[in-house]
Amino acid sequence: MDAQEHYFTADPASADQRRALTVPIAGAPMTVETAPGVFCPERLDLGTSVLLRSVPDPPQHGHLLDLGCGWGPISLTLASLSPEATVWGVDVNRRALDLLARNAARHGLDNVRAAEPGAVPEDVSFAAIWSNPPIRVGKAALHEMLLQWLPRLAPGGTASLVVQKNLGADSLHAWLGGTLGSSFSTARLASAKGFRVLTVHRHLTPPVEGA
């Protein structure tokens, strides 16, 4: 398989060989289904693990977004911690979406919606966004994706993004701070194992000029 196939391909060409994997989700072991052609099918990847250890618990209500969901560790965590919220797991990879849907159903997490980007209703805003974004798509494509989704944070909502330091975490931090405007603030929440966890918060009210 092309090492980057999962980032660009809606229908991966690699054999769809399903396997069971047991990983820690929301503090408990969970057996899930993975397959080649999606991001990190053989384990819970380190960046996602750093993110899940660093972020506070998600809001209990509203819409929550896992951007670039893969087989679903972030979506499954959000759904387990916030059973009354609606969790959107978004990916361009249809195999990943099928895996997420199957994994959620297997564990009775009926608040998960596995969706291609265009299938999320335009009027949905998010109380929280958690993401291990696809850095290797390239800077232009990554910026385009973030500018599509981060403005959909609801007022008071926060996005948490994990990015490897040597793949541009600090430059992304600077870009976010200089691009999103005064209604948003960007900060570094944590740094561990060569990864940064960045947060983007949307203020409840726009800041007052000159205050």
Side-chain angles (χ1 to χ4, degrees):
M1 183 189 78
D2 181 335
Q4 305 309 324
E5 181 185 28
H6 56 271
Y7 284 136
F8 304 104
T9 308
D11 296 297
S14 53
D16 190 359
Q17 298 172 332
R18 305 295 172 102
R19 56 169 289 190
L21 180 70
T22 300
V23 294
I25 297 291
M30 181 181 287
T31 299
V32 297
E33 190 175 293
T34 71
V38 303
F39 177 63
C40 204
E42 68 279 357
R43 66 185 185 279
L44 179 64
D45 74 283
L46 183 56
T48 298
S49 180
V50 168
L51 175 72
L52 295 177
R53 289 199 305 267
S54 302
V55 292
D57 284 352
Q60 291 300 299
H61 303 278
H63 295 273
L64 312 177
L65 173 63
D66 171 12
L67 183 58
C69 63
W71 53 262
I74 294 175
S75 293
L76 299 174
T77 300
L78 288 168
S80 298
L81 294 174
S82 300
E84 296 184 19
T86 299
V87 176
W88 295 88
V90 170
D91 208 300
V92 298
N93 185 321
R94 296 191 184 100
R95 184 178 298 174
L97 295 175
D98 179 62
L99 288 166
L100 170 58
R102 292 167 66 93
N103 288 330
R106 177 175 185 163
H107 294 283
L109 299 171
D110 57 5
N111 57 332
V112 172
R113 307 286 182 267
E116 295 181 48
V120 181
E122 292 184 4
D123 61 349
V124 168
S125 59
F126 301 102
I129 298 172
W130 289 7
S131 181
N132 184 350
I135 296 297
R136 295 182 190 274
V137 296
K139 185 177 293 186
L142 175 67
H143 289 180
E144 180 181 1
M145 181 183 74
L146 294 177
L147 288 176
Q148 176 184 357
W149 293 99
L150 292 179
R152 294 181 67 171
L153 277 170
T158 299
S160 301
L161 316 172
V162 64
V163 182
Q164 200 165 344
K165 181 180 177 182
N166 66 7
L167 291 181
D170 293 337
S171 63
L172 180 63
H173 186 171
W175 177 82
L176 289 166
T179 302
L180 290 174
S182 60
S183 294
F184 298 84
S185 57
T186 305
R188 184 194 302 172
L189 175 66
S191 184
K193 308 291 186 181
F195 290 87
R196 309 281 205 219
V197 179
L198 307 178
T199 60
V200 176
H201 179 72
R202 184 165 195 168
H203 303 296
L204 283 169
T205 57
V208 177
E209 291 288 335

